Amino acid sequence: PWTSYYQGIRKCNVLLANIEDATVYATDAEKAGWKAQAYTLRAFYYLQLVKRYGQVPVVLQDYGTDHDYTNEKKSPAGEVVKQILADCDLALATPSSDDFSWDLMDNQWGIMTKALAWAIKSQAVTFAVSPLFDDGTFTMDEALNITKEALSECLSNGYEL
């Protein structure tokens, strides 16, 4: 999983670094939706890594394929979760559009949505306060409030338990 997730993170970083300057025949709203999906996907990849390994390097730029990644230092799990929450917040600040919305169409398997961004936030902070990963970065009350907000947002946008 390590290699696959970091390959995905690199692809997200490449898109985020280049989408504004790329010659793409897309509207600003489409580009914003793609960026929001990239932030959500990067958060998802980091969530998967922190669940499996705890401390992992946080790489937020494209160093290229010839970079020696073995020199990257691992960040504490709480710092990784902070980055996950920041990526989700950036995504969620994007206005809803066809490219990043609450709804998932039948032909859009694998598309990131606002509901997924909220779910990632909730799960990441829950892991951060668990006995296995708790390094004091988050409190149980913070985790409760983030999860409560995630549930409220999803319920108010058509999702049900």
Side-chain angles (χ1 to χ4, degrees):
W2 182 278
T3 302
S4 297
Y5 291 132
Y6 272 107
Q7 286 173 348
I9 289 167
R10 180 177 178 272
K11 290 175 185 177
C12 291
N13 290 340
V14 167
L15 182 134
L16 291 168
N18 297 299
I19 189 68
E20 294 303 326
D21 298 330
T23 305
V24 178
Y25 298 104
T27 66
D28 288 341
E30 288 173 321
K31 288 181 184 180
W34 298 341
K35 285 173 54 176
Q37 286 194 54
Y39 283 122
T40 304
L41 196 53
R42 184 168 72 181
F44 173 79
Y45 291 144
Y46 274 117
L47 175 61
Q48 299 310 309
L49 286 166
V50 82
K51 285 190 325 189
R52 288 166 173 78
Y53 307 108
Q55 297 182 358
V56 297
V58 175
V59 180
L60 302 177
Q61 61 189 16
D62 173 33
Y63 292 125
T65 56
D66 58 349
H67 179 72
D68 183 9
Y69 287 92
T70 60
N71 293 325
E72 297 298 319
K73 302 292 182 216
K74 292 181 178 180
S75 298
E79 292 300 314
V80 180
V81 171
K82 278 185 178 180
Q83 184 58 50
I84 291 169
L85 298 181
D87 279 350
C88 289
D89 287 340
L90 284 169
L92 290 166
T94 304
S96 290
S97 69
D98 288 342
D99 297 297
F100 191 67
S101 70
W102 284 96
D103 301 321
L104 188 61
M105 309 298 177
D106 288 339
N107 63 345
Q108 292 182 323
W109 187 87
I111 298 292
M112 302 294 105
T113 65
K114 288 189 177 241
L116 183 58
W118 279 111
I120 290 168
K121 280 184 73 164
S122 175
Q123 192 175 52
V125 75
T126 301
F127 273 101
V129 297
S130 71
L132 184 60
F133 297 111
D134 189 3
D135 60 7
T137 304
F138 295 95
T139 65
M140 192 64 77
D141 285 340
E142 289 172 310
L144 178 65
N145 288 334
I146 290 170
T147 299
K148 180 181 175 184
E149 185 179 11
L151 179 60
S152 174
E153 287 292 324
C154 289
L155 290 174
S156 67
N157 283 283
Y159 288 82
E160 296 178 352
L161 293 177

